[in-house]
Amino acid sequence: MNAPAAIIEAHPAPAGDTLILGDEDRARAHHYALLARLFFAAPDAPLLAALAASARVMGDGDSPFARAWAELGECAEQADASALRDEYDALFYGIGRPDVMLYGSWYLAGFLMEEPLAELRDDLAELGLARRAGVAETEDHIAALAEVMRHLALTGPDEAGLARQRRFFVRHLQPWYARLADALAAAPQARFYARTGALMRAFFDIESEAFAMEQGAAGH
């Protein structure tokens, strides 16, 4: 499930000291990669099987995160890949305006291709990241932002790296991810993707709390 990035690519960086990545950072990167994959395209049959298997472990518990995993896994176990392609297209690529928008500018500014996207592009350039050539989705697509966070989690487990992660998340994901989850929960045709949105919300809520705690600790 830890697929390579489809929207964002990193510019070559000078070789430096190798940072040791802990299990927690690997797990965080894995979840960001999974969300990027699910929001970039509908899952195929192997991914649905992997989700169902993962949910048997990740869905053990009563936290919002565990419940979200359990419900997504149950849905994945019963889902048909062809039907999910139809659900994905109906939600995100319908005739006219899609039922659910996946772009941050829509939630932050009310329109696509607005100032939040320009600010995001400036931040990506500072990080040595950019949109892949030939990709239609803009950088504020939820899958692209999850790809960036995966990259930052894998390349910056140290204090400076965590500060970069926190700044990016707080600026470009935290202000609107709950509204996307709400939109998915309210969409009548969203079955699998309502549960994907619930997992996104539960995971990002954990990230929000962790970043807030880290910032508080850094301020003392």
Side-chain angles (χ1 to χ4, degrees):
M1 288 189 288
N2 207 346
I7 301 174
I8 299 295
E9 65 181 357
H11 300 313
D17 294 337
T18 301
L19 298 172
I20 298 174
L21 201 66
D23 290 343
E24 181 179 346
D25 289 311
R26 291 185 188 279
R28 291 176 57 235
H30 172 84
H31 277 85
Y32 278 117
L34 173 61
L35 290 170
R37 169 63 183 82
L38 291 175
F39 281 116
F40 181 72
D44 55 16
L47 179 53
L48 289 172
L51 284 170
S54 294
R56 296 184 190 106
V57 177
M58 302 300 298
D60 184 16
D62 194 39
S63 67
F65 181 68
R67 290 198 300 272
W69 253 112
E71 291 175 6
L72 181 63
E74 181 180 358
C75 190
E77 199 162 15
Q78 300 170 357
D80 172 74
S82 177
L84 288 191
R85 286 194 296 272
D86 292 341
E87 179 180 331
Y88 186 94
D89 290 343
L91 283 169
F92 308 127
Y93 291 99
I95 298 174
R97 201 188 86 183
D99 287 351
V100 178
M101 288 287 190
L102 295 176
Y103 298 90
S105 290
W106 177 262
Y107 297 93
L108 296 173
F111 299 93
L112 301 177
M113 307 290 289
E114 287 292 318
E115 185 176 348
L117 178 57
E119 295 172 350
L120 169 62
R121 285 172 172 165
D122 288 341
D123 285 351
L124 290 174
E126 288 185 14
L127 294 168
L129 302 172
R131 182 172 57 165
R132 289 183 181 277
V135 174
E137 290 80 5
T138 51
E139 296 89 334
D140 59 337
H141 191 286
I142 185 65
L145 297 173
E147 288 176 357
V148 173
M149 286 302 300
R150 171 187 178 270
H151 170 81
L152 295 177
L154 288 174
T155 59
D158 58 345
E159 185 174 342
L162 286 171
R164 287 192 295 271
Q165 293 176 46
R166 180 173 62 244
R167 180 176 183 273
F168 189 89
F169 184 91
V170 168
R171 290 194 71 182
H172 300 297
L173 275 168
Q174 188 168 283
W176 66 278
Y177 74 78
R179 293 178 62 191
L180 171 56
D182 288 342
L184 289 166
Q189 69 272 45
R191 185 170 178 269
F192 178 86
Y193 275 94
R195 289 159 177 81
T196 302
L199 179 63
M200 176 194 69
R201 186 203 299 268
F203 175 55
F204 285 0
D205 282 351
I206 293 171
E207 291 282 274
S208 295
E209 293 170 9
F211 286 137
M213 291 176 62
E214 288 165 8
Q215 180 145 28
H220 286 80

